[in-house]
Amino acid sequence: MSSDLITFLLNWEPTAYHIPIYLAQTRGYFKEQGIRVAILEPSNPSEVTELIGTGKIDMGLKAMIHTLAAKARGYPVTSVGSLLDEPFTGVLYLKGSGITPDFKSLKGKKIGYVGEFGKIQIDELTKHYGMTPDDYTAVRCGMNVAKYIIEGKIDAGVGIECIQQVELEEYLKAQGRPKEDAQMLRIDKLAELGCCCFCTILYIANDEFLAANPEKVRKFLNAIKKATDYFLENPKDAWNEYCDFKPQMKTAINTKKFERCFAYFSESLYNVHRDWRKVTAYGKRLEILPKDYQPNYSNEYLSWEEPKEVEDPLKAQALMAAHQEECRSCGGCRRLCLTGI
């Protein structure tokens, strides 16, 4: 049976960076394209690629490293666009916990991780720094890494700067402590990757659905692009609209998460070729991808001009780090201009 409906699975419960999907719904952009979208939330974020890969769900969101690993494990999915580009990802901890910028200070500590690949990354780093996976205690936390740190269940945990680090900062603020006491050992620096692109959040689709419905996918992305253009131009109004539709988002901490996500949002939605090459090589290094693996992404469903990639990604990352530090200090929705870099 033919249908204009797309089932779309979030990568976890609604959060700040899901705004373009919900705005495309509430502002009628999906309807303008002649499609309907059922937005679904997973009970277990680790099952997202399996649900999409087995065809139970048409499309959804997942990080780049998970998207690559899914295809390698026999779940046919393809990235058709980017939502959040290179959010800083690393091992979060609180100052005074005995952990320092030296990775070896994690020896003997309890380290939390979201899902399987977080542990694989930490295990690989222990070897890189002359340790073994037996030198720390791994604790699977799901998306509750900050909560587990606050409750003392773990000493540190893998999270992203614009979500879990914000949660730690707000906890510190409530305790009368400086928010700068929330620290991060960035995995891209520890692993000498040159970017945090492995955690780029992507729009992915089941391959069979994609082959049978290319126009439907184009219409979906057209609506997402219109929603993205709108909230990047009108962040305050767009955030209020999102909060009206999802009242649970209307909190001070979620507003701060939105502000910290703002610079990471992909304006073009394009998959970045260099990032895919880097993360594919990283996946092979982690031994989650075979040596002959070819990255599973496509930009053919995007109809607008593809932007030029930055020439100096390391400089761009340094500028982004300074930009996000300013956002942490001053708040507000700010974008970083990387033209010419």
Side-chain angles (χ1 to χ4, degrees), residues 9 45-46 73 75 79 115 124 180 187 190 212 240 245 258 323:
L9 187 62
S46 297
R73 291 184 170 189
Y75 296 119
S79 170
E124 198 266 346
E180 290 75 17
I187 289 176
L190 293 171
N240 287 335
F245 185 70
F258 177 59
H323 176 91

Side-chain angles (χ1 to χ4, degrees), residues 48-54 62-80 117 202 204-208 210-211 276 280 288-290 292-298 301:
V48 171
T49 49
E50 180 178 346
L51 288 168
I52 298 171
T54 54
K62 205 60 184 172
M64 190 181 291
I65 190 73
H66 300 116
T67 302
L68 284 159
K71 189 71 172 280
R73 291 184 170 189
Y75 296 119
V77 297
T78 296
S79 170
V80 294
F117 297 113
L202 306 166
I204 68 172
N206 171 274
D207 284 358
E208 186 175 341
L210 191 58
W276 277 92
T280 299
I288 61 174
L289 302 178
D292 60 349
Y293 189 86
Q294 295 300 310
N296 49 320
Y297 75 96
S298 174
Y301 305 95

Side-chain angles (χ1 to χ4, degrees), residues 274 308-313 340-341:
R274 174 169 46 212
K308 183 180 179 182
E309 295 183 13
V310 296
E311 295 183 5
D312 190 341
I341 293 175

Side-chain angles (χ1 to χ4, degrees), residues 11-12 17-18 49 60-69 78-90 121 159-162 187-188 193-204 261 263-280 282 296-297 299 317 320:
N11 53 337
W12 60 315
Y17 61 73
H18 294 142
T49 49
L61 295 174
K62 205 60 184 172
M64 190 181 291
I65 190 73
H66 300 116
T67 302
L68 284 159
T78 296
S79 170
V80 294
S82 299
L83 167 60
L84 211 63
D85 273 339
E86 300 187 49
F88 291 146
T89 305
Q121 287 178 301
I160 61 176
E161 179 264 335
C162 53
I187 289 176
D188 63 309
L193 295 176
C195 72
C196 269
C197 39
F198 63 87
C199 209
T200 292
I201 307 298
L202 306 166
Y203 297 100
I204 68 172
C261 286
Y264 295 126
F265 282 111
S266 172
E267 183 177 3
S268 71
L269 312 188
Y270 270 84
N271 288 286
V272 179
H273 305 287
R274 174 169 46 212
D275 291 352
W276 277 92
R277 290 193 296 271
K278 283 185 178 181
V279 182
T280 299
Y282 182 45
N296 49 320
Y297 75 96
N299 286 326
Q317 288 275 283
M320 181 63 82

Side-chain angles (χ1 to χ4, degrees), residues 10-21:
L10 302 179
N11 53 337
W12 60 315
E13 66 184 22
T15 192
Y17 61 73
H18 294 142
I19 187 170
I21 297 103

